[in-house]
Amino acid sequence: MVTTAIAGLTTVQSAMAQSTATQALEETKEIVVTGTRNRNVGGLAVDQSVTKTRSSITEEFIEKQAPGSILETINILPGVNFSDQTATGSVGGDITLRGFDQQRIAFMLDGMPLNDTGNYAYYPTMNPDSEIYSKVDVNLGTTDVDSPTASAGGGTITYQTRRPSKAFGVSAKATVGTNDYSRQYVQVDTGEFGPWGTTAFVAVSNLNSNQFKGVGTEDRKQINGRIYQSLGGSDFASVALYYNETRNNAVYNSSLTTINAGNWSEAYASTIGTVSNSISSGSSGYYGYRINPTNNGNIRAQFKKHLTDKLVFTFDPSFQYTLADGGTQVSTLTESTGVLSMVGSSYVWNELKGYDANHDGVVSTTAYKVFSPSVTETRRTTVNSSLIWYIDPHNTLRVAYTYDHGNHRQTGRVSFLEGGQWIGDVFSEDSSLWVYGKNGEEIQKRNRQSYANLKQFAITYGGSFFDDKLKVDLGVRLPDFERELNNYCNQISSSTAYCAKDPGTKLVYTGTVTQITAKAPASWTVSYDKTLPNLGVSYKIADHQTIYTSYAETISAPRTDSLYDRLSLDLQPEISKTIDLGYRYSSPNVSGAIALWKTDFDHRVETAWDEEIGASVATDVGKARMKGINAEIGFTPVKGLDLYASSSYTDTEMLENVYYSATAYNPTKGKKLGKVPSVMHAVNLSYETGKWDFNVNGKYTGKRYASLANGDAAPGYTVWNANVSYDLGQVGPVKDAYLRLNVKNLFNEKYISAISTGNVFYDSGNYFWIGAPITTMVTLGTKF
């Protein structure tokens, strides 16, 4: 029976999870144990069979939404808050999940980890186009047992690439919209070809847009593809690829004082002013010196093969490459004094003092501009493998092994601007432009290399009892994480370094002269390991009704920047312990769930101002507690009408004050975490009639504090989106054409979207991005 059921899974497009092995296990439970497949309501309120809290969206919902970040589409799910910087989804933004920020959430694509290997950052601008996804799963507060991550404190967000179609087809989209938005997307499915019925697809896209305030552009080119080979039954092999190039100007962020005064349009200057104004972080700073270029790509494979009727082997290897630059990239150099000045700080470099660095025949007594980027280049290899034993139709055992290696290179080569004004080489790779000192030493603001290695064993048991009413999942993760760090600079803090043999002694930081002894260049290795249990139990109490509970422990090892800090070599890893209690209802027309949850979080690390050394360093801010409730429901009252609603309440609390001397401390006890809304509500209505398809959704996001001081706060706001499609039918050789109108921020709500925290202990240096106003996009789509 189990063999027949498993073999029949080849046509199932249901619980797309992180890895091939997890996907296989969950699909088996749906068919063998429950006898059903996942239902959903218009691509939302997806029926879940796992013994943990999870919400999902499918391509049915994704396809109706306006072009943009895939994170915009999951913003409607409970516990999720995504705040974009623009309406296009191609620049960036913040995402939180149950009180955890994006550096504490694991992001996966076909089982491949997407978080940065150094600081666990996740960059929405690097997302694949939304059209390639078949499903997105959001695990709230937990990971899957075989998750190849060292950073998932608050849960996982996993993307699954769609399978190529068995029939040949070409689809194309052309979109135009507000702010000269233009996007073209073409996708080709080969259909079955060759002697084994191989299928493949390739998709290319191009996006160009002006930003909604000030001067600045967004440009992105991308290619995606997948080749899929069935190996009989549910066995398969596939290889997917992705490559992306973005060239964006940064979006200006304002102070709360400016916004409260009614200035919603403050932006970077459109022309180059004086030297000091050009590199300013304020509105006098030149927009052309605020760039965020990226080149990134990956290749990922999936393989599943039955070794016997009851023994299955899965293998998911991948390779990723990323080259990116960001932050403030232009500084000034004064040759007579040797001062290299950046926003907020100045450095005296003996290598440059009294030296004609640009070889113009004069030792300059006035400052001139130089390019000082923060470039990161990463090469990452991951292998996730499992051996699954289907003991009988009611018991399974899986053993998994993960190897993840990241080569993380961070440089800050100071270079001359082309013509003394323009950034030409955005990654500072042209050695002819590099700045050298009097002894021939290359001048850099940072120069370091780290290697991140994760070796992880995991074992999982799944069982069903009492006529399959009771389901039990028991698992344990055994991660062994090692960082090899090589810092070639004299380090003050994670963002302050002298990369020269004779750096000088004086540091002027935010106007205060402070004598600091820098940490000399060094190489060292740190390692972290922990046994992480994972338990889930569900019980079917009646037809359509299930209760469940889960418990999971996660670890987030210290980030690269934290470990490069002068005083932070003894940082403890962050540890979270989460328990959920939930109820699900699922019938042909109604699907919903509600969950109560609680997370205990130890050794939370924040980059914060240190009073004693006068710099920002990684700081253990102690324990935090999060608890709350999240719920969602979807139903179809009449044919063609789908209704969905979600709601979340999240309560966060710091449990300790943070001491920076024997008696002095920052009063964080009792404060709420920054960037986390306490209350969120969302609704979605979809209606299809004849050739028309209408969709409206709205999201209320409650107040968010900017820091642990709980002073500056972004007020709550509501944003509505509307989408209307009309089926044009066959037009000449085009067998299926449609016209779609998407309107974002339908009622032109003025609101604060993303938040940049300056000092986590005080309300100073906090900045806020303005949400995009009403934005209209029109798409003409065709299929051949």
Side-chain angles (χ1 to χ4, degrees):
M1 290 175 58
V2 69
T3 304
T4 302
I6 294 171
L9 291 176
T10 183
T11 59
V12 176
Q13 296 277 349
S14 52
M16 303 302 184
Q18 287 182 10
S19 65
T20 303
T22 299
Q23 178 182 332
L25 283 172
E26 291 182 4
E27 287 179 342
T28 301
K29 290 176 183 177
E30 288 160 18
I31 302 300
V32 177
V33 178
T34 69
T36 63
R37 300 178 185 176
N38 280 115
R39 290 181 288 264
N40 68 81
V41 178
L44 295 165
V46 178
D47 178 25
Q48 306 290 345
S49 63
V50 294
T51 56
K52 64 184 71 174
T53 301
R54 175 185 289 173
S55 294
S56 307
I57 61 171
T58 70
E59 56 189 332
E60 183 180 354
F61 175 71
I62 297 171
E63 195 269 338
K64 295 180 180 180
Q65 307 311 304
S69 171
I70 187 64
L71 297 179
E72 289 184 80
T73 61
I74 67 170
N75 193 37
I76 200 169
L77 299 179
V80 179
N81 181 49
F82 177 63
S83 47
D84 210 343
Q85 292 182 17
T86 68
T88 66
S90 65
V91 175
D94 282 342
I95 185 168
T96 62
L97 185 61
R98 275 193 178 178
F100 289 88
D101 58 21
Q102 60 194 33
Q103 291 179 307
R104 296 178 173 96
I105 305 167
F107 295 84
M108 306 283 179
L109 174 62
D110 298 332
M112 180 187 72
L114 297 175
N115 298 73
D116 177 81
T117 59
N119 293 328
Y120 310 137
Y122 174 72
Y123 303 102
T125 184
M126 297 182 185
N127 278 330
D129 289 323
S130 297
E131 289 90 345
I132 75 159
Y133 299 118
S134 62
K135 195 179 182 198
V136 182
D137 287 325
V138 179
N139 284 351
L140 295 163
T142 64
T143 65
D144 291 329
V145 173
D146 66 341
S147 296
T149 175
S151 62
T156 58
I157 296 176
T158 66
Y159 311 114
Q160 182 71 27
T161 303
R162 74 170 188 89
R163 292 182 184 177
S165 173
K166 292 184 178 181
F168 173 81
V170 179
S171 61
K173 295 180 183 180
T175 305
V176 294
T178 308
N179 301 313
D180 291 329
Y181 178 90
S182 174
R183 180 176 183 260
Q184 302 81 40
Y185 179 87
V186 178
Q187 178 178 288
V188 179
D189 278 88
T190 64
E192 293 185 336
F193 65 91
W196 305 292
T198 307
T199 57
F201 81 81
V202 63
V204 296
S205 68
N206 180 65
L207 182 155
N208 308 101
S209 179
N210 293 329
Q211 293 180 353
F212 69 88
K213 65 172 184 174
V215 181
T217 60
E218 304 166 26
D219 299 282
R220 185 176 72 184
K221 297 178 176 63
Q222 189 173 124
I223 182 169
N224 288 279
R226 188 182 186 188
I227 183 168
Y228 183 91
Q229 177 63 61
S230 172
L231 301 178
S234 63
D235 295 345
F236 73 95
S238 80
V239 177
L241 62 90
Y242 155 86
Y243 182 73
N244 178 78
E245 286 188 3
T246 59
R247 296 295 184 268
N248 299 326
N249 292 106
V251 180
Y252 189 84
N253 50 17
S254 302
S255 69
L256 194 60
T257 301
T258 299
I259 296 171
N260 289 339
N263 189 345
W264 293 84
S265 59
E266 187 177 35
Y268 290 117
S270 59
T271 58
I272 299 176
T274 65
V275 170
S276 58
N277 283 344
S278 295
I279 69 166
S280 169
S281 59
S283 58
S284 58
Y286 178 51
Y287 86 97
Y289 294 160
R290 301 295 188 276
I291 57 174
N292 291 295
T294 60
N295 294 348
N296 68 299
N298 64 64
I299 183 168
R300 54 199 188 277
Q302 295 178 277
F303 176 80
K304 176 186 174 187
K305 178 65 177 176
H306 278 74
L307 304 179
T308 69
D309 287 347
K310 295 185 177 182
L311 200 62
V312 176
F313 173 68
T314 67
F315 183 65
D316 296 348
S318 63
F319 175 77
Q320 302 177 64
Y321 175 80
T322 300
L323 180 64
D325 177 23
T328 302
Q329 294 117 327
V330 174
S331 307
T332 64
L333 171 61
T334 305
E335 295 173 345
S336 61
T337 60
V339 173
L340 185 62
S341 294
M342 303 177 195
V343 174
S345 59
S346 299
Y347 311 86
V348 177
W349 291 66
N350 288 344
E351 272 287 299
L352 296 170
K353 190 174 182 179
Y355 177 62
D356 180 15
N358 61 2
H359 305 296
D360 65 352
V362 179
V363 176
S364 174
T365 58
T366 59
Y368 59 83
K369 296 184 293 291
V370 290
F371 185 39
S372 56
S374 298
V375 177
T376 298
E377 187 174 25
T378 302
R379 292 174 173 84
R380 185 176 193 176
T381 303
T382 305
V383 175
N384 201 352
S385 60
S386 288
L387 191 63
I388 306 171
W389 180 25
Y390 294 94
I391 303 170
D392 57 42
H394 305 286
N395 296 275
T396 60
L397 188 68
R398 171 176 51 159
V399 178
Y401 176 75
T402 297
Y403 174 75
D404 184 34
H405 170 77
N407 182 342
H408 194 72
R409 186 77 170 97
Q410 295 176 294
T411 56
R413 292 187 173 95
V414 179
S415 303
F416 296 109
L417 291 168
E418 294 186 357
Q421 297 286 342
W422 315 110
I423 298 175
D425 180 8
V426 295
F427 298 116
S428 193
E429 294 179 307
D430 185 352
S431 60
S432 67
L433 294 175
W434 294 349
V435 176
Y436 292 89
K438 63 183 67 175
N439 295 314
E441 187 172 4
E442 182 185 343
I443 304 300
Q444 295 202 55
K445 70 176 185 181
R446 70 174 184 180
N447 183 11
R448 57 204 195 192
Q449 185 163 25
S450 66
Y451 300 92
N453 297 307
L454 172 67
K455 301 175 183 178
Q456 176 178 279
F457 285 97
I459 187 168
T460 312
Y461 165 76
S464 59
F465 310 92
F466 307 118
D467 295 326
D468 298 330
K469 292 183 177 180
L470 176 67
K471 292 169 58 179
V472 177
D473 290 306
L474 299 172
V476 62
R477 291 173 57 202
L478 301 170
D480 183 358
F481 186 73
E482 179 184 85
R483 279 199 188 279
E484 178 187 336
L485 301 113
N486 302 277
N487 190 4
Y488 308 116
C489 297
N490 300 271
Q491 199 77 23
I492 299 297
S493 68
S494 61
S495 58
T496 307
Y498 294 116
C499 302
K501 295 177 182 177
D502 186 12
T505 58
K506 187 174 73 170
L507 166 69
V508 180
Y509 196 85
T510 59
T512 301
V513 178
T514 306
Q515 298 293 330
I516 299 175
T517 302
K519 183 173 66 178
S523 297
W524 67 99
T525 300
V526 293
S527 59
Y528 309 91
D529 61 81
K530 187 172 177 57
T531 300
L532 302 172
N534 203 310
L535 167 67
V537 179
S538 67
Y539 186 76
K540 186 175 182 180
I541 57 176
D543 287 345
H544 313 304
Q545 300 182 66
T546 302
I547 58 174
Y548 69 92
T549 186
S550 66
Y551 173 81
E553 294 185 16
T554 61
I555 183 174
S556 183
R559 305 163 192 169
T560 300
D561 281 354
S562 299
L563 293 170
Y564 283 127
D565 280 348
R566 185 172 66 91
L567 302 178
S568 302
L569 295 183
D570 58 347
L571 277 178
Q572 297 296 310
E574 297 178 338
I575 302 294
S576 67
K577 301 175 181 179
T578 300
I579 186 169
D580 278 53
L581 178 62
Y583 166 82
R584 293 189 181 114
Y585 181 86
S586 178
S587 69
N589 293 321
V590 180
S591 181
I594 186 170
L596 295 168
W597 61 274
K598 176 176 175 290
T599 297
D600 292 319
F601 193 7
D602 291 344
H603 301 296
R604 184 180 178 92
V605 175
E606 300 281 4
T607 300
W609 184 261
D610 188 292
E611 299 288 349
E612 289 189 325
I613 71 169
S616 293
V617 295
T619 303
D620 189 331
V621 299
K623 297 180 179 180
R625 179 189 297 125
M626 291 91 85
K627 58 185 177 181
I629 182 171
N630 51 260
E632 64 178 341
I633 187 169
F635 60 101
T636 305
V638 296
K639 184 179 180 181
L641 177 63
D642 294 326
L643 301 175
Y644 171 85
S646 70
S647 186
S648 306
Y649 172 73
T650 304
D651 180 36
T652 66
E653 182 184 9
M654 294 297 301
L655 302 182
E656 300 174 345
N657 292 319
V658 180
Y659 282 80
Y660 56 86
S661 71
T663 57
Y665 62 86
N666 292 298
T668 54
K669 186 176 181 179
K671 299 298 179 67
K672 294 185 180 299
L673 297 176
K675 303 184 181 182
V676 181
S678 296
V679 178
M680 293 184 291
H681 307 297
V683 295
N684 183 78
L685 182 151
S686 294
Y687 180 62
E688 295 183 22
T689 177
K691 294 185 177 183
W692 291 94
D693 188 338
F694 301 92
N695 174 249
V696 177
N697 56 71
K699 171 77 175 285
Y700 169 76
T701 303
K703 181 174 70 174
R704 294 159 293 153
Y705 291 110
S707 71
L708 295 179
N710 287 183
D712 285 356
Y717 63 94
T718 302
V719 170
W720 290 88
N721 304 310
N723 312 294
V724 181
S725 296
Y726 181 75
D727 185 1
L728 298 172
Q730 184 166 347
V731 180
V734 179
K735 66 179 181 181
D736 187 9
Y738 63 89
L739 191 66
R740 176 174 294 134
L741 170 67
N742 300 106
V743 183
K744 296 186 177 183
N745 196 358
L746 180 64
F747 299 110
N748 204 26
E749 175 88 348
K750 287 187 175 181
Y751 67 99
I752 293 172
S753 58
I755 301 174
S756 174
T757 301
N759 186 340
V760 73
F761 293 137
Y762 307 105
D763 281 319
S764 61
N766 299 325
Y767 287 92
F768 303 81
W769 280 274
I770 302 302
I774 184 171
T775 303
T776 302
M777 300 177 177
V778 178
T779 299
L780 176 63
T782 62
K783 293 182 180 179
F784 299 88

